[in-house]
């Protein structure tokens, strides 16, 4: 039997998991990255560690409940420097659906230096791997173990351009031209990820992907489907991009052609939902505010 | 009295969730047990009162990710009861399909953990790989591997197109063989039998006294399944066997879960055959009147009860749960007494405790 000496062996980067009050969704997915061959962290040159003192990267799940806060901080403190911290799932990043609770102390970065965020609820194991890959590269840089990452054993197993798994619910997309400003999306969003502000000449729509739990309820209830679910699921990012990971849109007010009052435009999608097809009469009425439209319609009856 | 008290945490118990036990031991033997709970307490009862009914569908799906479909579907059933909505026949079948898919995944995850604790690393990975068939199915049909987002008030949010129904049927064919194989391994493998037989016994009498539910009850000879006793959705039109074992030990609980996973495959196949055409949801934005109601369902871990109180606004006045793990982990007192300290992780995991459900 011929054995070849291992050339330039790279010591594995050791990962330590902390559950900070999670619903166990992210933890079960982390278990998949330890047990399922196609998501194995060992492909990234990483391995799981049972002891915080023997770890390089910390993976935090859960919204950081008050009850576990001190335990989590103690465990995190036991990990030797330089350490890299990854927030897995939207809970440690923003609180997710559990924000504003009396029992939740988070977000985690109020207490710990977080380096990489992996939004998702729970994130796909491959999204978690992409986040771990970012963290491992950062750790190798910080620790002076400057080796590059080994090539993935299976191409595309964690690179960001890999095709999305079929049918996956990814981040939301907003089409301002279709929005009628009914605010149903804001009303049904459990994580408070959507905000619509009146801003001078129109409505400003903002969606924070780091608060969104990717349930798609906003899209389900959107009457004109201005909000749609995309298959973009690779959203891991460094902490400095935490607040810029948003979807924004602006719906400008238009002036009523009758009286000049400002109003929200009647979008082609709304007309399609309401009338299926338009005619010149509808096209004319849509430029009027409700009051002028009423007057016009009353006039029409008399005629 | 020995008086030695040790604290065991998630690391020692091979639990995914932070849960601590204060165990009183006499040498190697457990004599007393206290649960130190609350680490996953996220103030859910407070949060549901601050969110409207629509937000609560998504919030409740995150109460626990392993039984994530049971929570929103039972909540929606309660809301529909108050609003006097009868969901369309197609939605009744689609809700049952979503629940059974989650049941298979949840049971397989527990079987994987049991293998991991016994020290059968290869079997652990094998069960997790088999479970991936279900994970792929959930991802392709619902768009997420854990949280399906299948329910809305008045019905369901997803549909099975002819193609996706064929795909689901094929996936069920794919998983049948592996499920049979796992059942045979857990039933006959010598190493597994040695570790699980006669361990953590919950006698039938104690099971009744502690009012345990789900696979824990059925493994102790209690023939109780909400799907059979008070059928909901499409379950009155589906044929299935309630898996009951008599031994009440760790092995019996694992066998009940594996038998239920096989039954779930059959239930999904029946649903695919019988799936009626028609609408998915009866009323998209119904008014919810004031009132109170109870809804229950058979979650993977057992009977899940929802109490809902409303006042005519779009937020609940009160929402209260009785989750299956709450009933089951009290019975650990009986199962663990007189057992060896080294067997605690196996016995604790044999009730498939869901801490995030119980701590909320």
């Amino acid at each position: 039997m011929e054995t070849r000496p291992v050339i330039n062996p790279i010591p594995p980067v050791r990962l330590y998991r902390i559950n900070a009050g999670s619903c166990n969704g992210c933890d079960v997915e982390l278990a998949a990255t330890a047990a399922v061959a196609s998501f194995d962290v060992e492909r990234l040159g990483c391995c799981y560690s049972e002891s915080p003192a023997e770890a390089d990267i910390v993976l935090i799940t859960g919204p950081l409940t008050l009850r576990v806060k001190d335990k989590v901080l103690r465990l995190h403190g036991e990990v030797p420097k330089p350490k890299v911290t990854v927030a897995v799932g939207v809970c440690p990043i923003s609180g997710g659906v559990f924000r504003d609770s009396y029992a939740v102390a988070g977000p985690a970065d109020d207490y710990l230096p977080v380096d990489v965020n992996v939004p998702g609820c729970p994130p796909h194991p491959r999204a978690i791997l992409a986040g771990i890959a970012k963290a491992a590269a950062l750790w190798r840089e910080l620790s002076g173990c400057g080796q590059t990452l080994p090539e993935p054993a299976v191409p595309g197993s964690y690179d960001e351009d890999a095709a999305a798994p079929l049918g996956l619910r990814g981040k939301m997309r907003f089409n301002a031209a279709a929005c009628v400003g009914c605010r149903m999306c804001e009303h049904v969003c459990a994580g408070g990820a959507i905000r619509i502000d009146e801003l001078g000449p129109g409505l400003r729509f903002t969606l924070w992907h780091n608060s969104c739990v990717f349930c798609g309820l906003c899209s389900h209830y959107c009457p004109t489907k201005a909000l749609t679910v995309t298959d973009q699921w690779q959203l891991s990012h460094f902490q400095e991009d935490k607040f810029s990971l948003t979807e924004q849109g602006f719906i400008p007010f238009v002036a009523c052609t009758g009286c000049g009052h400002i109003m929200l435009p009647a979008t082609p999608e709304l007309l399609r939902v309401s009338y299926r097809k338009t005619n010149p009469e509808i096209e004319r009425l849509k430029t009027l505010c409700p009051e002028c439209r009423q007057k016009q319609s009353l006039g029409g009856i008399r005629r | 009295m020995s008086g030695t008290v040790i604290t065991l945490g998630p690391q020692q118990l091979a639990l995914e969730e932070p849960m601590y036990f204060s165990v009183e031991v006499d040498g190697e033997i457990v004599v007393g047990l206290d649960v130190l709970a609350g680490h996953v307490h996220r103030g859910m009862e407070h949060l549901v009162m601050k969110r409207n009914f629509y937000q609560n569908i998504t919030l409740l799906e995150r109460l626990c990710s392993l039984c994530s479909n049971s929570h929103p579907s039972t909540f929606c059933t309660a809301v529909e009861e108050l609003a006097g909505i009868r969901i369309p026949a197609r939605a009744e079948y689609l809700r049952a399909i979503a629940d059974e898919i989650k049941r298979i995944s949840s049971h397989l995850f527990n079987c994987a953990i049991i293998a991991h604790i016994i020290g059968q690393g290869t079997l652990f990975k094998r069960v997790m790989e088999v479970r991936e068939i279900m994970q792929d199915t959930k991802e392709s049909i619902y768009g997420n591997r854990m949280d399906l987002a299948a329910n809305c008030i008045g019905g369901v949010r997803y549909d099975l197109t002819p193609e996706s129904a064929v795909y689901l049927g094929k996936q069920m064919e794919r998983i049948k063989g592996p499920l049979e194989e796992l059942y045979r391994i857990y039933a006959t493998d010598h190493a597994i039998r040695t570790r699980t037989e006669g361990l953590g016994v919950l006698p039938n009498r104690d099971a009744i006294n502690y009012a345990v539910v789900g696979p824990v009850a059925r493994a102790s000879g209690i023939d109780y399944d909400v799907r059979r006793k008070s059928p909901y959705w499409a379950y009155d039109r589906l044929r299935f066997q309630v898996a009951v074992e008599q031994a009440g030990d760790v092995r019996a609980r694992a066998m009940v879960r594996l038998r239920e996973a096989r039954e779930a495959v059959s239930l999904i196949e029946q649903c695919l055959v019988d799936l009626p055409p028609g609408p998915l949801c009866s009323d998209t934005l119904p008014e919810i009147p004031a009132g109170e109601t109870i809804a229950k369902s058979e979650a993977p871990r057992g009977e899940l009860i929802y109490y809902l109180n409303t006042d005519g606004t779009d937020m609940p006045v009160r929402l209260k749960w009785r989750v299956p793990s709450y009933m089951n982990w009290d019975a650990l007192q009986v199962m663990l007494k007189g057992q060896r300290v080294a067997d605690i992780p196996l016995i604790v995991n044999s009730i498939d405790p869901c801490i995030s459900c119980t701590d909320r």
Side-chain angles (χ1 to χ4, degrees):
Chain A
M1 197 174 109
E2 187 194 356
T3 55
R4 279 193 294 171
V6 182
I7 304 155
N8 188 20
I10 305 169
V13 179
R14 298 159 301 175
L15 314 171
Y16 183 70
R17 294 160 48 179
I18 301 179
N19 181 328
S22 137
C23 75
N24 70 41
C26 295
D27 306 274
V28 171
E29 293 297 53
L30 285 174
T33 65
V36 177
S38 52
F39 308 130
D40 202 336
V41 287
E42 289 182 16
R43 293 182 168 197
L44 301 177
C46 298
C47 67
Y48 280 108
S49 162
E50 292 292 306
S51 152
E54 291 164 12
D56 309 312
I57 292 178
V58 188
L59 307 174
I60 293 188
T61 59
L64 191 64
T65 61
L66 276 178
R67 183 79 198 274
V68 291
K69 192 190 89 188
D70 291 340
K71 279 195 176 91
V72 169
L73 294 181
R74 201 182 63 232
L75 286 171
H76 187 268
E78 285 175 27
V79 179
K81 285 177 183 171
K83 59 186 153 199
V84 173
T85 307
V86 184
V88 179
V90 293
C91 286
I93 306 175
S94 66
V97 289
F98 307 115
R99 64 195 299 174
D100 321 323
S101 169
Y102 65 86
V104 169
D109 61 0
D110 279 357
Y111 305 91
L112 307 164
V114 172
D115 303 288
V116 178
N117 294 311
V118 186
C121 190
H124 191 279
R126 276 158 60 185
I128 298 176
L129 287 185
I132 294 176
K134 280 192 174 71
L138 179 64
W139 182 82
R140 288 184 198 277
E141 195 183 306
L142 292 175
S143 65
C145 301
Q147 293 100 330
T148 50
L149 271 176
E151 283 297 307
V154 173
S157 60
Y158 62 86
D159 58 342
E160 306 230 339
D161 305 324
L166 196 69
L168 195 70
R169 255 183 282 128
K171 70 173 181 184
M172 305 301 302
R173 185 186 292 133
F174 178 67
N175 174 14
C179 179
V180 293
C182 71
R183 299 188 174 213
M184 192 59 192
C185 49
E186 199 180 18
H187 184 68
V188 301
C189 180
I194 296 173
R195 202 168 76 198
I196 296 177
D197 308 300
E198 197 168 327
L199 197 81
L203 291 181
R204 187 181 62 187
F205 171 96
T206 315
L207 187 155
W208 283 266
H209 296 304
N210 274 325
S211 297
C212 173
V213 292
F214 306 85
C215 67
L217 206 61
C218 50
S219 170
H220 177 73
Y221 282 112
C222 180
T224 57
K225 299 295 168 235
L227 273 161
T228 45
V229 185
T230 70
D231 56 7
Q232 285 173 282
W233 51 280
Q234 277 291 18
L235 300 172
S236 65
H237 56 276
F238 287 107
Q239 175 72 2
E240 55 260 37
D241 300 322
K242 177 177 173 181
F243 294 103
S244 55
L245 198 73
T246 56
E247 182 79 10
Q248 284 191 317
F250 190 75
I251 310 125
F253 291 131
V254 291
C256 165
T257 51
C259 64
H261 266 298
I262 59 158
M263 60 173 192
L264 276 166
T267 67
E269 280 77 7
L270 180 66
L271 296 179
R272 205 160 31 237
V273 171
S274 314
Y275 305 109
R276 264 184 263 164
K277 271 184 183 171
T278 61
N279 57 32
E281 182 67 2
I282 293 170
E283 286 297 329
R284 194 174 59 81
L285 286 174
K286 81 169 194 186
T287 61
L288 297 171
C289 70
E291 211 168 294
C292 290
R293 213 157 55 219
Q294 240 167 15
K295 282 181 194 161
Q296 284 273 338
S297 303
L298 284 170
I301 289 163
R302 269 188 225 113
R303 181 158 37 92
Chain B
M1 204 59 224
S2 61
T4 314
V5 174
I6 54 171
T7 303
L8 297 176
Q11 209 93 62
Q12 294 92 341
L13 297 170
L15 284 173
E16 288 296 328
E17 301 174 90
M19 174 75 198
Y20 295 82
F21 286 90
S22 182
V23 186
E24 198 182 328
V25 292
D26 182 3
E28 258 292 282
I29 303 300
V30 179
V31 290
L33 175 80
D34 205 6
V35 173
L36 308 171
H39 294 84
V40 196
H41 180 62
R42 289 148 293 166
M44 289 294 280
E45 286 191 37
H46 166 77
L47 281 174
V48 291
M49 284 155 59
K50 284 171 67 178
R51 309 268 199 264
N52 59 49
F53 293 116
Y54 306 102
Q55 293 172 311
N56 275 330
I57 301 172
T58 301
L59 172 64
L60 290 168
E61 189 145 22
R62 274 89 188 150
L63 193 74
C64 155
S65 268
L66 282 167
C67 24
S68 64
N69 193 62
S70 300
H71 286 284
S73 58
T74 313
F75 169 70
C76 287
T77 307
V79 174
E80 286 149 9
E81 173 119 354
L82 280 178
I85 300 169
R86 194 187 150 87
I87 66 169
R90 189 174 177 83
E92 292 187 318
Y93 280 86
L94 290 173
R95 273 194 187 168
I97 289 176
D99 247 24
E100 295 306 319
I101 288 179
K102 285 294 294 184
R103 195 184 313 279
I104 303 174
S105 287
S106 174
H107 283 354
L108 285 180
F109 190 73
N110 182 255
C111 285
I113 297 294
I114 295 287
H116 172 66
I117 295 169
I118 295 175
Q120 304 260 354
T122 319
L123 182 61
F124 164 64
K125 291 201 171 186
R126 172 74 187 134
V127 183
M128 288 297 280
E129 292 286 353
V130 173
R131 185 173 172 272
E132 280 300 307
I133 299 176
M134 298 314 297
Q135 298 301 94
D136 286 345
T137 310
K138 286 188 272 181
E139 186 171 280
S140 298
I141 293 177
Y142 304 94
N144 191 292
R145 290 160 50 93
M146 298 301 291
D147 295 328
L148 306 184
N151 297 281
C152 63
I153 297 164
V156 288
R157 269 173 62 191
Y158 81 104
D159 196 10
L160 282 181
T161 59
E163 300 83 56
S164 54
V166 169
Y167 167 78
L168 180 56
K170 279 187 184 157
Q171 290 292 85
M172 289 302 109
E173 278 302 322
R174 264 185 75 195
I175 204 166
K176 270 184 196 167
L179 280 181
E180 289 301 323
E181 171 206 330
L182 291 179
Y183 183 82
R184 189 181 50 73
I185 293 173
Y186 279 83
T188 58
D189 183 84
H190 183 69
I192 296 175
R193 285 190 75 150
T194 315
R195 284 286 272 128
T196 57
E197 222 162 4
L199 187 75
V201 175
L202 181 69
N204 181 273
R205 192 186 59 254
D206 290 308
I208 293 168
N209 287 343
Y210 278 86
V212 294
V213 289
V216 177
R218 292 191 283 277
S220 290
I222 300 176
D223 185 0
Y224 185 82
D225 188 316
V226 183
R227 293 173 293 173
R228 173 62 48 79
K229 291 284 173 186
S230 42
Y232 48 99
W233 311 332
Y235 285 112
D236 55 348
R237 280 147 278 167
L238 300 170
R239 299 167 305 282
F240 63 100
Q241 272 192 337
V242 177
V244 181
E245 297 269 338
Q246 301 299 330
D249 54 5
V250 171
R251 176 167 181 265
R253 291 190 272 277
M255 297 325 296
V256 165
R257 288 199 186 90
L258 284 165
R259 280 172 61 188
E260 278 180 11
R262 294 197 302 186
E263 285 294 324
V265 172
S266 145
L267 283 167
I268 293 168
E269 288 181 332
Q270 290 175 48
C271 286
L272 285 176
V273 173
D274 299 345
L275 192 63
L280 300 169
C281 190
S282 58
D283 185 355
T284 42
L285 296 168
E287 266 195 37
I288 316 298
E292 59 176 351
T293 191
I294 277 177
K296 58 181 183 173
S297 70
E298 184 74 26
R301 282 155 192 76
E303 182 181 49
L304 171 69
I305 303 179
Y306 263 66
Y307 166 79
L308 175 66
N309 187 353
T310 57
D311 62 355
T313 64
D314 66 349
M315 291 193 193
V317 176
R318 192 89 169 84
L319 181 59
K320 188 120 176 56
W321 309 255
R322 201 200 70 183
V323 297
S325 294
Y326 180 70
M327 304 312 291
N328 291 345
W329 83 19
D330 213 24
L332 281 173
Q333 311 260 12
V334 178
M335 298 181 211
L336 284 171
K337 201 157 278 176
Q339 300 287 343
R340 292 182 307 138
V341 172
D343 287 329
I344 296 176
L346 191 51
I347 297 171
V348 167
N349 275 282
S350 78
I351 69 161
D352 201 2
C354 182
I355 288 107
S356 59
C357 275
T358 316
D359 277 353
R360 302 196 275 275

